[in-house]
């Protein structure tokens, strides 16, 4: 999941000085003012700043605040910590936040038992979390007839983009090592009993599934 997140959301997280590349930010601002598509997308520090402190709607004010807050986060936190917070605050569905809840909600499993496909699918979910539903048999679902672009993005991320991007980085071990992570999920089995480790289905997920 960590490798999929880095590969899909911000491949330069562990190698870039600062929260974002200034030239990329200028190009994004210019495109926004001119009403053109975003040429690069937000970095993980920018997304984290938005998720914790700001609001989702696009605006010049929000983008400016986001840039300043993201820069501060990058100054005081390690890339590893920024990624940890991002995965705990990211939205993975309507009123569904965090990697642990997403794993249980979509796949009925703790996060360390997710497959590569599960992780890649969640990278498609995070693009349009308010439009994604849980399929009856598990996994993420969106109605292709109603939201064709969302359907394309969900299945593109799951089957093409994330595997290709992770491979392009040298594989999952290289991807996670770029932010200073060298251990595996299996190396941390002793910590799984912690109430914050995601070892059991959260009550919030049970409530969503029982609606």
């Amino acid at each position: 999941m960590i490798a999929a997140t880095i590969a899909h959301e911000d491949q330069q997280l562990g190698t870039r000085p600062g929260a974002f590349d200034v030239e990329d930010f200028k190009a994004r601002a210019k495109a926004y003012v001119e009403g053109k598509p975003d040429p690069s997308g937000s970095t993980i520090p920018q997304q984290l700043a938005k998720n914790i402190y700001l609001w989702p709607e696009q605006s010049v004010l929000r983008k400016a605040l986001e840039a300043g807050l993201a820069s501060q986060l990058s100054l005081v936190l390690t890339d590893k910590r920024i990624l940890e917070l991002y995965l705990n605050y990211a939205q993975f569905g309507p009123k569904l936040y965090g990697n642990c809840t997403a794993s249980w909600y979509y796949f009925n499993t703790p996060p360390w038992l997710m497959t590569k496909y599960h992780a890649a699918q969640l990278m498609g979910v995070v693009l349009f979390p308010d439009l994604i539903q849980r399929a009856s048999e598990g996994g993420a679902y969106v109605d292709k007839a109603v939201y064709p672009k969302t359907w394309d993005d969900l299945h593109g991320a799951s089957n093409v983009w994330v595997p290709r991007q992770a491979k392009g980085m040298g594989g999952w071990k290289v991807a996670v090592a770029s932010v200073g992570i060298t251990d595996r999920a299996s190396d941390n089995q002793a910590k799984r009993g912690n109430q914050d480790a995601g070892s059991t289905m959260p009550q919030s997920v049970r409530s969503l599934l029982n609606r």
Side-chain angles (χ1 to χ4, degrees):
M1 183 62 189
I2 294 170
T5 303
I6 295 169
H8 190 259
E9 296 296 298
D10 191 354
Q11 294 183 27
Q12 298 178 356
L13 175 64
T15 58
R16 178 188 58 243
F20 50 84
D21 180 84
V22 175
E23 293 305 316
D24 286 346
F25 182 77
K26 289 179 180 178
R28 296 184 65 214
K30 185 174 184 291
Y32 179 79
V33 171
E34 295 176 352
K36 297 179 180 179
D38 190 334
S40 59
S42 298
T43 64
I44 283 179
Q46 287 174 297
Q47 293 182 57
L48 177 61
K50 179 199 71 176
N51 291 343
I52 294 180
Y53 300 113
L54 303 173
W55 57 94
E57 288 74 23
Q58 299 275 6
S59 71
V60 173
L61 174 60
R62 199 213 78 189
K63 286 294 183 183
L65 292 171
E66 178 186 287
L69 289 167
S71 296
Q72 292 296 315
L73 288 172
S74 289
L75 282 174
V76 300
L77 300 176
T78 65
D79 296 326
K80 181 179 176 180
R81 178 60 172 160
I82 286 173
L83 185 60
E84 178 185 7
L85 290 170
Y86 172 78
L87 283 169
N88 278 282
Y89 280 93
Q91 185 178 359
F92 288 98
K95 299 181 180 179
L96 189 72
Y97 299 89
N99 172 61
C100 178
T101 56
S103 177
W104 280 107
Y105 180 71
Y106 290 109
F107 313 119
N108 192 34
T109 184
W112 55 81
L113 291 182
M114 281 196 293
T115 66
K116 292 179 181 179
Y117 179 78
H118 289 162
Q121 191 173 57
L122 288 183
M123 290 299 98
V125 170
V126 81
L127 295 170
F128 302 98
D130 288 319
L131 303 181
I132 303 296
Q133 304 174 38
R134 183 185 186 277
S136 57
E137 68 278 11
Y141 167 81
V142 65
D143 191 330
K144 183 178 182 180
V146 180
Y147 303 108
K149 185 181 187 310
T150 305
W151 189 93
D152 286 342
D153 286 341
L154 175 63
H155 289 275
S158 305
N159 299 295
V160 182
W161 306 332
V162 173
R164 183 172 62 196
Q165 289 160 330
K167 183 178 180 180
M169 291 189 72
W172 72 267
K173 289 183 180 179
V174 176
V176 299
S178 71
V179 294
I181 298 174
T182 57
D183 55 342
R184 305 164 64 103
S186 57
D187 296 330
N188 295 277
Q189 294 185 54
K191 301 177 182 179
R192 293 177 183 174
N194 186 299
Q195 63 179 356
D196 296 324
S199 57
T200 58
M201 182 181 288
Q203 182 56 48
S204 60
V205 174
R206 294 183 188 278
S207 299
L208 286 171
L209 294 175
N210 291 331
R211 285 183 178 179

